[in-house]
Structures are given as C-alpha cells and as structure tokens.
Amino acid sequence: MADEQELFKVTIDDITIEVPKGTTILNAARKIGPQVAPPTMCYYSSLEGSGGKCRTCLVEVAAGSTKDPRPMPKLVASCRTEVMDGMIVKNVTSEKALDARKGIVEFLLINHPLDCPICDQAGECYLQDLSYDHGTEGTRYEFKRRTFVREDIGPYIQLHMTRCILCYRCLMVADQLTDSRSQGILLRGDVSEISTYISKAIENDFSGNMIDVCPVGALTDRTYRFKNRVWFLKPMDAHRDCDKCCGKVTLWNRGEEVFRVTSRKDPWGEVQKIDDKPAWICNKCRFEKKNVSDWVIEGPTKVSRHSVISTNHYVQKVVPPDPLNKVLHGRTPLLLMDINSVSKVNTDDVDLSILPGPATSTTFIERNLEKEIKETSAERLSINDHKKP
Ligand code: SF4
Ligand code: FES
C-alpha cells in the first residue's frame, strides 16, 4: 500500500483528470490531449531541467486547490507548475492566457527573422506553428533586428544564431547526452548568443540530437541544408543494428534517395520514448548512413494530418482507373509540358542527396553541358562513320 501513488484531481478547460502527485499542469493537459495542451518552445520532457524560459505555456489557475480555492494572482508557466488536488486550470478557455500568448509570440518574433521561405525548418518549425495559431498579422517593432554570421559547429551542424530563440534545449543535449559540453550562452540580454568556445567543433557522437531538439531553424543539418523541402520528402520508419544507439530512426526519402535521417518524434514533436527511454540517435546513423540499403524499412511514418508534411502522403490509396485511356481509345496523351526536358533542371542523373552542398544552377548546367558535349561528339562520330568511303 505504501507504494501506491497519491492521485490528484485537476480540471483543465472543464475536463477533469486524475494524475499522480508531482505531475506538472502541462503533462496533465497532455494526458487529456492536444486540444487542451499548451504549446511549448523550451520544455522538452527528455531533457532534465528544461522549461521555464519561453513563457509560451502560460495558463490561468482559477482555483489553486480544494484546500485553498483562491485563484493564483498571475498566469503560471504550466511546464514548471505542479498540480494540486482540486486545482482548476484554464488554457484555451482563458482570455488572459491567450492574450499573453499573443504577446509572447510578438516577443519571440522581435529577434527572429521571417525567412521561412528559405529556412530548412519550414514545415516543421514550432515557432511558425505558434505564430499561425497565436500571432498577430502585423508587428509593432520598428528597430533593426539583431543578426549574426552563420557558424559551422563541427562538420555536420550549422548554427544560424539570427534564428535562435534561446530556449537552452541544445545546451541541455550537450550537457546531458555528451561527455563534454563545448558550447554555451555567451553574454547577456539582447546580445546573448549560443556559441562554441573559440568555435570549438562539437565532435561528440550524439551532438546531432541538438538539431532535433531545436524548435526553430537555428541548428541545421549540414548534410541536408537546402537539399529539399520537408513536405516533398517521404518519412519512413527504419532501423539498423547500431552499437552506439538504438538505431531506430525516421528516414526522409525522395524516391530511392535518403535525404536525411532524424530521430523518431512523438505527437508533441519530442524524441520518441522506447521502453520509457528517449530514443536519441548517434551521428553515424544520422549523418553517415544515407543509403536505403543501410536500413531495414518498417513502413511509412505516421504524420499528423494537420502537418504540411502529410501533403500527398497517402497510405493504402486506391487509385481510380485512368479515364484518359478510355476517352482516347487506347492512344497515349501527348505530354505538353515535360518540365524536366524543358527546363533542363532536376535531371535524373543528379543525386541531390549526395551533393556536398546545396544544389545550384551550376550543378545542372555543368551536368547538362557534359551531357550535350557527349551527345554532340557521339553524333559527329556517327556522321564521320557514314562519310567514310
Ligand atoms: S539554437 Fe535552437 S535549441 Fe539552441 S537555444 Fe537556440 S533555439 Fe534553442
Ligand atoms: S515551455 Fe514552459 S516556459 Fe517554455
């Protein structure tokens, strides 16, 4: 009996649930579901001590507990506040909380560029989602935004500090997953920045997980940068035997090409827990295993239908018969615009995933020139062959 956990009753947005003593309001709300769970930008359940930095998860406590039912005077950070028995919490039903969240989005965007069209994180950026859900359409900010020079931290990761929202998650990964932390937050106030000490490269086997925990596009995978948009890729669950990590990953494929490898995410966008342990992956699996043959494919990753990544990703689709064949009495329709042959870009012989950097027009022009030269010389040779007596 002594082991029995004490349960507290908490009501969030008019839904009552019982949770073990010590549960935070955020985790109690997550138990109910995404409709009442506050958004988070700095909390990450697998990282000890995370949360309490961004204030995105503020909620109103309308009654503190059964014993003391007075409301809490200020909004509280749900990721850091534990539930009390009989507590009444308002999140989406609180005008105060929603108004505060609007203000938080405005604050976060003060120092975040609106460069979503060229940012690798577009389509899976939590700040982008947050501003669509809670932001306003305009800005009142009139000053110049701070900017930083991009920094390569090690061979695989690039830091674009201009986009950083100082959530501290990457520092916690470095602290908790690697044996030596070589980066930290330097300086204070609006000039504070994540930096590696004397640009020291992060060479730890698990450093790539910093990319996965970054809620915005501040830390990006150098082997994937500018290679593709995430909604054009097809996420597949896959695994391999790895002596360093669990080897359970998501492959992001386009056709047979593996463009990037990430850890698997749960519905909250955090790394999935397997047997109650976060399934962090090592750098070898993430950056060096980019062939489909390196992996055992389990099947398509389940993607929320609200995510832009789910676009055009159908499973068990039933394709209706093509009516054109019938109408044209078996003739094949003339292709009016074969974009590849007209534009001479995206030709099949260019493997975008294995290019050392982003593809540029030169990538295709050079290939096309090579191809044209080969074709022309082959043509000349055959003409000369004909001319021979
Ligand atoms: S780089 Fe990303 S993960 Fe690190 S503090 Fe900035 S926003 Fe957070
Ligand atoms: S998620 Fe709670 S303060 Fe950032």
Side-chain angles (χ1 to χ4, degrees):
M1 283 302 274
D3 287 350
E4 233 175 62
Q5 255 183 335
E6 201 179 338
L7 292 178
F8 281 173
K9 221 177 230 178
V10 54
T11 305
I12 305 173
D13 288 335
D14 301 325
I15 304 171
T16 304
I17 185 176
E18 276 192 330
V19 290
K21 181 183 174 184
T23 309
T24 57
I25 299 177
L26 175 75
N27 281 331
R30 283 186 173 184
K31 280 205 167 140
I32 297 174
Q35 70 277 23
V36 299
T40 53
M41 293 301 289
C42 68
Y43 174 77
Y44 206 88
S45 60
S46 315
L47 296 173
E48 221 176 284
S50 64
K53 316 268 185 315
C54 68
R55 323 309 282 176
T56 311
C57 65
L58 290 179
V59 291
E60 183 181 341
V61 176
S65 65
T66 318
K67 278 189 195 149
D68 182 359
R70 284 177 301 168
M72 287 195 183
K74 286 184 185 172
L75 300 177
V76 297
S78 62
C79 67
R80 280 297 181 98
T81 314
E82 289 181 9
V83 297
M84 298 298 286
D85 196 27
M87 187 183 253
I88 299 175
V89 179
K90 288 173 157 189
N91 174 28
V92 287
T93 51
S94 162
E95 263 181 47
K96 266 199 225 166
L98 294 181
D99 192 46
R101 209 160 284 153
K102 227 181 228 177
I104 299 294
V105 177
E106 209 174 351
F107 268 126
L108 288 174
L109 290 178
I110 280 180
N111 278 319
H112 187 89
L114 297 182
D115 62 350
C116 312
I118 55 138
C119 176
D120 271 313
Q121 192 87 355
E124 50 183 5
C125 172
Y126 296 94
L127 187 53
Q128 197 176 33
D129 293 346
L130 187 73
S131 43
Y132 273 118
D133 289 343
H134 299 280
T136 49
E137 65 276 13
T139 176
R140 292 178 286 165
Y141 195 67
E142 291 171 359
F143 306 98
K144 212 174 161 208
R145 285 183 161 86
R146 59 186 199 152
T147 49
F148 295 83
V149 178
R150 282 193 298 263
E151 191 184 347
D152 287 338
I153 48 174
Y156 296 128
I157 306 171
Q158 187 170 92
L159 168 66
H160 197 355
M161 188 58 215
T162 312
R163 295 179 186 148
C164 172
I165 59 158
L166 292 169
C167 72
Y168 285 66
R169 283 180 183 178
C170 58
L171 301 185
M172 284 168 189
V173 166
D175 250 350
Q176 294 167 29
L177 294 192
T178 66
D179 2 291
S180 60
R181 170 152 78 85
S182 48
Q183 102 260 44
I185 292 193
L186 306 182
L187 311 174
R188 287 278 177 271
D190 69 335
V191 286
S192 45
E193 58 172 303
I194 304 283
S195 187
T196 46
Y197 298 138
I198 331 168
S199 289
K200 192 176 177 314
I202 297 173
E203 278 153 7
N204 192 280
D205 278 341
F206 283 80
S207 59
N209 290 293
M210 286 192 283
I211 304 168
D212 279 349
V213 301
C214 185
V216 292
L219 289 168
T220 45
D221 177 343
R222 288 182 64 198
T223 66
Y224 169 68
R225 278 173 66 78
F226 301 121
K227 294 276 177 71
N228 226 302
R229 303 309 275 170
V230 76
W231 51 89
F232 292 139
L233 302 179
K234 196 171 171 196
M236 305 289 282
D237 283 350
H239 67 264
R240 64 181 280 272
D241 278 336
C242 178
D243 50 0
K244 287 193 182 132
C245 68
C246 64
K248 294 193 165 91
V249 302
T250 301
L251 299 184
W252 296 80
N253 294 358
R254 190 160 179 177
E256 283 299 297
E257 278 185 81
V258 179
F259 274 81
R260 69 169 182 169
V261 181
T262 63
S263 54
R264 296 185 191 176
K265 300 287 178 67
D266 68 10
W268 311 109
E270 296 177 8
V271 59
Q272 243 180 38
K273 294 196 178 78
I274 299 175
D275 298 332
D276 242 11
K277 282 195 197 126
W280 305 112
I281 60 166
C282 68
N283 286 1
K284 191 172 183 185
C285 286
R286 184 186 298 272
F287 301 117
E288 289 167 24
K289 298 288 167 193
K290 295 281 185 85
N291 290 317
V292 180
S293 55
D294 294 328
W295 298 96
V296 179
I297 309 278
E298 293 166 24
T301 304
K302 261 198 184 159
V303 181
S304 155
R305 69 183 180 87
H306 301 288
S307 163
V308 68
I309 302 170
S310 71
T311 323
N312 289 334
H313 292 162
Y314 304 108
V315 275
Q316 294 171 340
K317 63 178 175 190
V318 182
V319 186
D322 184 0
L324 271 182
N325 255 344
K326 204 173 157 196
V327 180
L328 294 175
H329 304 295
R331 280 177 295 143
T332 22
L334 190 65
L335 269 184
L336 291 178
M337 179 88 170
D338 180 353
I339 189 74
N340 284 343
S341 64
V342 176
S343 67
K344 294 192 175 176
V345 295
N346 287 346
T347 43
D348 290 345
D349 53 347
V350 179
D351 287 335
L352 292 175
S353 64
I354 55 170
L355 288 180
T360 62
S361 54
T362 339
T363 317
F364 298 101
I365 291 167
E366 275 172 7
R367 300 280 170 129
N368 285 326
L369 268 179
E370 266 171 38
K371 213 170 148 190
E372 266 169 38
I373 291 168
K374 265 188 208 155
E375 278 169 7
T376 330
S377 14
E379 221 170 89
R380 277 197 196 134
L381 276 177
S382 77
I383 293 170
N384 288 343
D385 279 351
H386 283 301
K387 278 185 188 165
K388 273 182 195 161

